[in-house]
Coordinates of all heavy atoms in Angstrom, one line a residue:
A18 N -111.8 48.7 -224.3 CA -112.6 49.9 -224.2 C -113.8 49.7 -223.4 O -114.2 50.5 -222.6 CB -112.9 50.5 -225.6
A20 N -114.3 47.5 -221.1 CA -113.9 47.3 -219.7 C -113.6 48.6 -219.0 O -114.1 48.9 -217.9 CB -112.7 46.4 -219.6
A26 N -115.6 56.9 -212.8 CA -114.6 58.0 -213.0 C -113.8 58.2 -211.8 O -114.2 57.8 -210.7 CB -115.4 59.3 -213.4
R34 N -122.2 51.7 -201.4 CA -121.7 52.2 -200.2 C -122.9 52.4 -199.2 O -124.0 52.6 -199.6 CB -121.0 53.5 -200.4 CG -121.9 54.7 -200.7 CD -121.2 56.1 -200.5 NE -120.9 56.2 -199.0 CZ -120.0 56.9 -198.6 NH1 -119.2 57.6 -199.4 NH2 -119.8 57.0 -197.3
N60 N -109.3 59.4 -180.5 CA -110.0 60.5 -181.2 C -109.7 60.6 -182.7 O -110.1 61.6 -183.3 CB -109.8 61.8 -180.5 CG -110.3 61.7 -179.0 OD1 -111.3 61.2 -178.7 ND2 -109.4 62.2 -178.1
V72 N -98.4 58.0 -188.1 CA -99.8 57.6 -188.2 C -100.7 58.8 -188.6 O -100.6 59.8 -187.9 CB -100.3 57.0 -186.8 CG1 -101.7 56.6 -186.9 CG2 -99.4 55.8 -186.5
D74 N -103.3 61.7 -188.8 CA -104.2 62.4 -188.0 C -105.5 62.5 -188.8 O -105.6 63.4 -189.7 CB -103.7 63.8 -187.6 CG -104.7 64.6 -186.8 OD1 -105.8 64.2 -186.6 OD2 -104.4 65.7 -186.4
P78 N -107.6 68.5 -191.6 CA -108.2 68.8 -192.9 C -107.4 68.3 -194.1 O -108.0 67.9 -195.2 CB -108.3 70.4 -193.0 CG -108.3 70.7 -191.5 CD -107.5 69.7 -190.8
A82 N -108.8 65.7 -196.9 CA -108.9 66.1 -198.3 C -108.2 65.1 -199.2 O -108.5 65.2 -200.4 CB -108.3 67.5 -198.4
W89 N -110.6 55.8 -199.7 CA -110.5 55.5 -198.3 C -111.0 54.0 -198.1 O -110.4 53.3 -197.4 CB -111.2 56.5 -197.5 CG -110.5 57.7 -197.2 CD1 -109.8 58.5 -198.1 CD2 -110.4 58.4 -196.0 NE1 -109.3 59.6 -197.5 CE2 -109.7 59.6 -196.2 CE3 -110.9 58.1 -194.7 CZ2 -109.4 60.5 -195.2 CZ3 -110.6 59.0 -193.7 CH2 -109.8 60.2 -193.9

Side-chain angles (χ1 to χ4, degrees):
R34 74 162 293 154
N60 301 314
V72 177
D74 175 356
W89 280 45

